[in-house]
């Protein structure tokens, strides 16, 4: 462990703003002190990016430059958000909002729904698959379980890329996606899925972002209220932002540039969900005045692991490769990566389990070991092999620690003992805090020795053992702490989802391992057909597979084991070969032609003072006045109509009804609520002014550039008294 990426479990809160900066390297300190204007942090794996941005927020808060409630830190997982909240609390910057995009948007949507939409907000569904199945039944299309998952993924991709059902086929073709079924069928299923949601008054997670964007675009008063609340934004893992998330971020920001983004294009591994590194790579283009800081000092991994990671990217191609960062290890030398070839997959799993058993017996904690694979289907073989070797393990992606029933029950028991411990016979003969916790949890199923075997009983014991270990660490850090103090700490951690470490070898897919690290990593199944995966056909897909392996390699701090099997099952034909990504890197292999990518060195690039993005600056908003009586308008509804509610209307009723009918058709075909096309107020304003051209239509509040581009021709044709068919023929 190193000072740059690890701290003690319960560090002392820094006593001043300057103390927050202690221990940061020059580039991390630059990130922490660059509190004004746009900042882009290009952070390689293991370079302490979370440390840099949490210290940045904490320094700004402790120095009185940032108010905690005015900062919104956004990341991509609840775990990462919880870790960020925990770190900020330890730095004396409690009160800062650290959330996922969805969590932040959902809170805003719930709060503003009565004002923006009215009525009760639709219920949010956790899983789409049943709704997709019902949509397929309505379309008389049979889907098996695999197809259901694939169609659901296509719907999610469509929504985060802001693609409506009618546009799915061309959008999927342009993006190079391989549709699981005929694109026309996917579009039909997508439209039917939206119909099912509307009929049942439910929304999904993508709707949360779509609806929040729609509200902020349509209601300037609500957008202004949110911008008044949040003055400063930090976005972690910026290479994973989707077009929809980027649009939401732009609406949160408005005209301001108080934004810090952090990411690494070489860790873009979620493009199948709509994520793109383009927003990260184009940041300097959009913000010429930005400060760009490159973090390349790797505090996580040994020089041997870093050498392999750099070697993987040296052979990469494409735009992300052009911006790769050349990592420089800050650790002492360690062992060389170990490469192993096996006859078949069960033998590979048994070999890994045997080596893990030796490591555990030598004193390596199981929680510091991980087995990483390309697909979740590979997990079962390793679960069985570890169980046979009597090695405890946990599956990554299981229920969150503080949500587990045994943990909730243990918390209730500890809280009761803290209140009424004097009357509890279990505590009669114990004096120190760890002994009290062990005594209380013994009544919940904890024992000094773990149960034999694996399964649910072992998992419950591991959860309770994690609480016992946490109590020991807590008492060591704060010798005077009481049981009540520990309960308060557990409550804080539960609120932040800051879980203690469970003692078990981690089994995880490479995708779910992102953001984690271990002393020992076993990368298994690194063979052609699995890495890269068989269905990766295009150059872009192959390069994403390379980046996925790079993420796996950089999870290891010290020991790295890379293995592959020549056949799938015992006795099978040994037709497999090691992954092409290892060519020239593993012993005995020949290197493929590499290339030197630009921008590898670390450092700081300062922007041009006073410059802004290349996009034209929006016109300053001026007071709106009633076009009838001239009074200044402040009510959003009146501002949209450009007249007082009391002033006479000259609305063309027939035009208004034709616009409403057209809007209903658009909403049905695009699978979105009618108000997302245009609100009633906007239609009334259009019917009153009956614009003749795009310039006049664009002046109407509620008609932004996107809607003008999408709907302008139709609206102008209706205003001119033409049928849409006539308009199309004329064009």
């Amino acid at each position: 462990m190193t000072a740059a990426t690890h701290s003690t479990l319960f560090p002392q809160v820094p006593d001043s703003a300057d103390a927050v900066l202690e221990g940061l390297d020059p580039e991390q300190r630059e990130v922490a002190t660059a509190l004004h204007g746009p900042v882009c942090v290009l952070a390689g794996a293991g370079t302490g990016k979370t440390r840099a941005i949490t210290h940045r927020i904490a320094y700004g808060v402790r120095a009185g430059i940032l108010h905690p409630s005015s900062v919104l830190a956004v990341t991509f997982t609840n775990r990462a958000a919880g870790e960020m909240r925990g770190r900020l609390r330890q730095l004396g910057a409690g009160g800062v909002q650290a959330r996922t995009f969805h969590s932040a948007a959902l809170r805003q949507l719930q709060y503003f729904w009565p004002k923006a939409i009215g009525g009760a907000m639709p219920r949010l569904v956790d899983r789409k698959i049943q709704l997709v199945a019902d949509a397929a039944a309505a379309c008389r299309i049979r889907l098996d379980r695999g197809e259901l998952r694939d169609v659901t993924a296509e719907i999610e991709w469509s929504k985060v890329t802001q693609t409506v059902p009618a546009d799915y086929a061309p959008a999927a073709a342009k993006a190079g996606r391989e549709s699981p079924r005929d694109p026309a069928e996917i579009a039909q299923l997508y439209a039917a899925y939206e119909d099912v949601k509307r009929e049942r008054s439910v929304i999904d997670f993508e709707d949360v972002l779509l609806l929040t964007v729609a509200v902020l675009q349509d209601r300037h008063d609500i957008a202004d209220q949110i911008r008044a609340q949040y003055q400063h934004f930090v976005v972690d893992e910026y290479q994973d932002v989707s077009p929809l998330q980027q649009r939401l971020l732009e609406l949160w920001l408005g005209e301001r540039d108080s934004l810090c983004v952090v990411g690494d294009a070489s860790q873009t591994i979620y493009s199948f969900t709509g994520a793109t590194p383009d927003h990260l790579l184009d940041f300097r283009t959009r913000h010429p005045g930005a400060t760009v800081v490159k973090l390349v000092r790797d505090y996580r991994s040994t020089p041997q692991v870093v050498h392999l990671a750099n070697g993987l990217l040296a052979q990469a191609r494409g735009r992300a490769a052009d911006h790769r960062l050349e990592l420089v290890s800050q650790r002492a030398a360690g062992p060389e990566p170990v490469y192993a070839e096996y006859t078949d997959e069960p033998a590979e799993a048994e070999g890994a389990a045997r080596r893990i058993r030796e490591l555990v017996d030598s004193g390596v904690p199981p929680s510091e070991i991980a087995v990483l694979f390309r697909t979740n289907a590979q997990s079962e073989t390793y679960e069985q092999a570890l169980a046979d070797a009597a090695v405890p393990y946990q599956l990554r992606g299981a229920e969150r620690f503080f949500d587990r029933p045994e943990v909730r029950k243990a918390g209730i028991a500890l809280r009761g003992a803290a209140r009424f411990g004097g009357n509890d016979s279990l505590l009669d003969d114990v004096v120190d805090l760890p002994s009290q916790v062990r005594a209380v949890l013994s009544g919940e199923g904890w024992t000094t020795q773990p149960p034999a075997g694996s399964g649910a009983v072992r998992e419950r014991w591991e959860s309770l053992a994690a609480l016992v270990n946490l109590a020991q660490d807590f008492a060591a850090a704060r010798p005077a702490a009481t049981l009540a103090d520990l309960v308060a700490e557990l409550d804080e951690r539960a609120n932040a989802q800051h879980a203690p470490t469970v003692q078990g070898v981690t089994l995880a897919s490479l995708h779910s391992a992102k953001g984690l690290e271990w002393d020992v990593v076993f990368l298994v199944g690194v063979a052609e057909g699995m890495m890269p995966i068989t269905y990766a056909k295009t150059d872009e897909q192959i390069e994403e597979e390379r980046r996925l392996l790079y993420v796996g390699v950089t999870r290891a701090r010290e020991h790295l084991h890379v293995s592959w099997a020549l056949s799938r099952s015992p006795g099978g034909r040994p037709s497999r070969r090691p992954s092409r990504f290892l060519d020239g890197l593993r012993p005995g292999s020949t290197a493929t032609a590499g290339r030197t990518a630009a921008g590898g060195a670390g450092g700081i690039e300062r922007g041009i003072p006073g410059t802004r993005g290349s996009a034209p600056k929006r016109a300053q908003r001026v007071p709106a006045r009633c076009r009838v009586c001239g009074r200044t308008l402040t009510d959003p509804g009146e501002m949209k109509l450009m007249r007082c509610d009391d002033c006479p209307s000259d609305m063309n009723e027939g035009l208004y009804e034709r616009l409403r009918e057209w809007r209903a058709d658009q909403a049905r075909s695009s699978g979105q609520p009618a108000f997302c096309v245009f609100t009633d107020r906007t239609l009334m304003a259009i019917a009153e002014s009956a614009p003749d051209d795009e310039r006049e239509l664009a002046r109407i509040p509620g008609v932004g550039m996107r809607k003008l581009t999408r709907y302008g021709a139709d609206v102008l044709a209706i205003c001119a008294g033409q049928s849409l068919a006539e308009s199309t023929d004329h064009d």
Side-chain angles (χ1 to χ4, degrees):
M1 292 188 179
T2 68
T5 56
H6 297 282
S7 58
T8 57
L9 191 58
F10 300 99
Q12 297 297 313
V13 174
D15 58 10
S16 67
D18 288 341
V20 172
L21 302 177
E22 292 177 3
L24 300 182
D25 68 31
E27 292 79 24
Q28 291 172 341
R29 181 179 285 257
E30 179 66 23
V31 174
T33 55
L35 296 173
H36 299 290
V39 178
C40 179
V41 184
L42 301 176
T47 57
K49 69 177 178 63
T50 304
R51 177 180 175 84
I53 59 175
T54 51
H55 281 68
R56 179 183 195 270
I57 296 169
Y59 175 71
V61 169
R62 298 291 298 275
I65 300 170
L66 305 176
H67 192 279
S69 63
S70 73
V71 180
L72 179 58
V74 189
T75 187
F76 281 80
T77 65
N78 288 315
R79 181 197 62 80
E83 179 186 351
M84 191 175 289
R85 287 193 294 270
R87 291 199 190 195
L88 289 169
R89 182 166 62 90
Q90 292 168 352
L91 292 169
V96 172
Q97 291 291 310
R99 297 186 171 278
T100 64
F101 272 101
H102 283 89
S103 172
L106 180 59
R107 276 174 62 97
Q108 293 170 13
L109 194 62
Q110 288 170 331
Y111 182 81
F112 288 109
W113 187 276
K115 181 177 180 180
I117 315 296
M121 181 174 159
R123 179 173 61 86
L124 178 63
V125 292
D126 291 331
R127 300 179 73 247
K128 299 182 182 68
I129 283 193
Q130 186 56 54
L131 294 176
V132 175
D134 294 342
C139 296
R140 301 182 183 279
I141 296 175
R142 294 179 61 85
L143 299 176
D144 60 30
R145 288 178 65 89
E147 288 176 318
L148 271 175
R149 286 195 301 270
D150 291 343
V151 170
T152 300
E154 288 304 292
I155 290 174
E156 290 175 347
W157 172 82
S158 299
K159 299 183 79 163
V160 301
T161 55
Q162 299 176 280
T163 302
V164 297
D167 296 339
Y168 169 77
K174 183 178 179 181
R177 294 183 73 81
E178 289 190 16
S179 298
R181 296 180 72 98
D182 182 87
E185 272 192 336
I186 300 290
Q188 182 186 4
L189 289 165
Y190 179 11
Y193 167 78
E194 294 297 322
D195 289 338
V196 169
K197 286 199 291 110
R198 273 195 301 277
E199 290 165 4
R200 300 180 186 179
S201 295
V202 298
I203 59 175
D204 59 30
F205 277 100
E206 288 70 40
D207 290 330
V208 171
L209 299 184
L210 284 163
L211 289 167
T212 305
V213 165
V215 168
L216 296 182
Q217 286 180 158
D218 201 48
R219 292 291 298 267
H220 295 300
D221 57 325
I222 292 175
D224 287 344
Q225 193 171 337
I226 290 175
R227 291 167 192 160
Q229 162 86 48
Y230 295 117
Q231 306 289 324
H232 190 87
F233 296 85
V234 176
V235 184
D236 195 10
E237 304 290 1
Y238 194 55
Q239 77 278 351
D240 292 332
V241 165
S242 70
L244 180 57
Q245 290 164 333
Q246 175 65 20
R247 180 61 185 143
L248 178 59
L249 178 62
E250 290 167 355
L251 288 165
W252 281 339
L253 273 168
E255 294 289 342
R256 301 164 301 173
D257 60 5
S258 186
L259 171 66
C260 174
V261 300
V262 189
D264 178 10
S266 296
Q267 296 187 68
T268 305
I269 58 173
Y270 298 109
S271 66
F272 61 92
T273 68
T276 170
D278 289 346
H279 304 300
L280 175 68
L281 299 179
D282 292 338
F283 192 84
R284 192 65 178 273
T285 303
R286 296 196 312 276
H287 303 279
T291 297
V292 178
V293 184
K294 296 179 181 179
L295 304 183
V296 298
R297 302 174 199 248
D298 187 329
Y299 297 96
R300 176 189 299 160
S301 305
T302 62
Q304 287 74 15
V305 173
V306 167
H307 178 71
L308 176 57
N310 286 336
L312 281 171
L313 292 188
Q315 301 176 23
R317 301 182 181 279
R319 192 178 183 209
D322 290 339
H323 294 81
R324 73 181 179 91
L325 299 168
E326 186 86 19
L327 299 177
V328 181
S329 176
Q330 306 297 297
R331 295 193 56 179
E336 291 290 338
V338 175
Y339 299 89
E341 183 174 277
Y342 294 89
T343 56
D344 53 63
E345 288 182 2
E348 184 181 6
E350 290 167 10
R354 186 166 54 250
R355 179 60 185 139
I356 290 170
R357 179 75 264 174
E358 294 170 357
L359 289 167
V360 172
D361 289 344
S362 70
V364 178
S367 60
E368 288 298 344
I369 304 173
V371 178
L372 307 182
F373 31 76
R374 176 60 180 85
T375 69
N376 287 318
Q378 296 168 268
S379 168
E380 185 178 0
T381 305
Y382 290 88
E383 291 180 57
Q384 186 62 55
L386 290 173
D388 291 345
V391 175
Y393 66 86
Q394 56 175 328
L395 284 171
R396 177 75 190 152
E399 191 173 28
R400 293 193 295 186
F401 183 83
F402 286 105
D403 291 339
R404 298 176 187 174
E406 66 270 20
V407 174
R408 290 201 301 268
K409 284 185 63 181
I412 293 170
L414 290 169
R415 189 172 291 106
R419 288 180 181 172
F420 311 110
N423 300 320
D424 192 334
S425 59
L426 282 172
L427 304 181
D428 286 348
D429 300 323
V430 295
V431 289
D432 65 330
L433 177 59
S435 298
Q436 289 177 321
V437 171
R438 286 193 291 269
V440 172
L441 296 187
S442 65
E444 301 298 320
W446 179 81
T447 56
T448 55
Q449 295 298 320
S454 58
V457 173
R458 178 61 181 248
E459 289 175 3
R460 283 195 295 272
W461 183 89
E462 295 284 359
S463 297
L464 298 176
L467 291 174
V468 170
N469 294 335
L470 180 70
Q472 293 171 340
D473 292 332
F474 189 67
R478 303 179 188 176
T482 65
L483 191 55
D485 294 329
L486 176 64
V487 168
E489 174 67 22
L490 291 176
D491 288 341
E492 289 266 17
R493 284 170 167 257
N495 290 333
Q497 283 298 332
H498 183 192
T501 302
V502 176
Q503 290 297 319
V505 171
T506 299
L507 295 177
S509 71
L510 287 164
H511 281 102
S512 63
K514 178 79 166 58
L516 303 175
E517 58 186 81
W518 297 268
D519 284 345
V520 186
V521 168
F522 287 77
L523 288 175
V524 299
V526 189
E528 286 291 308
M530 194 60 74
M531 180 60 66
I533 198 80
T534 306
Y535 53 75
K537 304 290 188 185
T538 67
D539 289 345
E540 292 81 4
Q541 291 168 340
I542 296 294
E543 287 307 316
E544 182 145 338
E545 293 289 298
R546 187 194 305 277
R547 294 194 295 270
L548 191 56
L549 183 58
Y550 170 80
V551 166
V553 167
T554 55
R555 299 311 95 193
R557 298 192 192 110
E558 187 170 359
H559 297 277
L560 180 63
H561 297 253
V562 184
S563 64
W564 57 91
L566 298 177
S567 67
R568 180 175 181 180
S569 54
R573 188 163 61 91
S575 57
R576 291 180 176 176
R577 62 174 294 267
S579 170
R580 71 191 76 171
F581 300 145
L582 299 178
D583 289 350
L585 301 175
R586 63 182 176 85
S589 63
T590 303
T592 55
R595 60 205 267 279
T596 301
I604 302 158
E605 300 173 13
R606 304 196 186 280
I608 304 166
T611 57
R612 293 183 62 86
S614 57
K617 185 175 179 179
R618 299 178 194 170
Q620 293 294 313
R621 292 173 62 188
V622 297
R625 298 186 183 279
C626 174
R627 54 190 168 82
V628 179
C629 70
R631 181 176 69 86
T632 299
L633 302 175
T634 56
D635 178 76
E638 292 182 339
M639 292 169 65
K640 187 159 289 186
L641 290 175
M642 293 304 292
R643 65 168 175 80
C644 307
D645 277 333
D646 296 335
C647 285
S649 168
D650 53 357
M651 183 177 71
N652 182 326
E653 295 287 350
L655 175 56
Y656 179 63
E657 288 305 318
R658 290 196 299 275
L659 288 168
R660 282 174 57 86
E661 291 172 6
W662 166 83
R663 181 183 65 174
D665 290 339
Q666 290 294 320
R668 277 192 296 273
S669 65
S670 64
Q672 58 184 338
F675 73 84
C676 288
V677 181
F678 285 120
T679 63
D680 287 346
R681 288 274 187 173
T682 301
L683 291 188
M684 289 173 65
I686 295 171
E688 288 187 358
S689 60
D692 292 325
D693 54 37
E694 285 192 354
R695 191 163 52 88
E696 292 181 8
L697 180 58
R699 288 200 191 107
I700 298 173
V703 183
M705 187 53 65
R706 281 187 68 249
K707 292 188 179 182
L708 183 67
T709 303
R710 186 170 183 81
Y711 303 126
D714 283 3
V715 171
L716 290 172
I718 294 169
C719 290
Q722 301 173 353
S723 71
L724 295 185
E726 289 175 23
S727 173
T728 303
D729 292 342
H730 180 72
D731 293 341

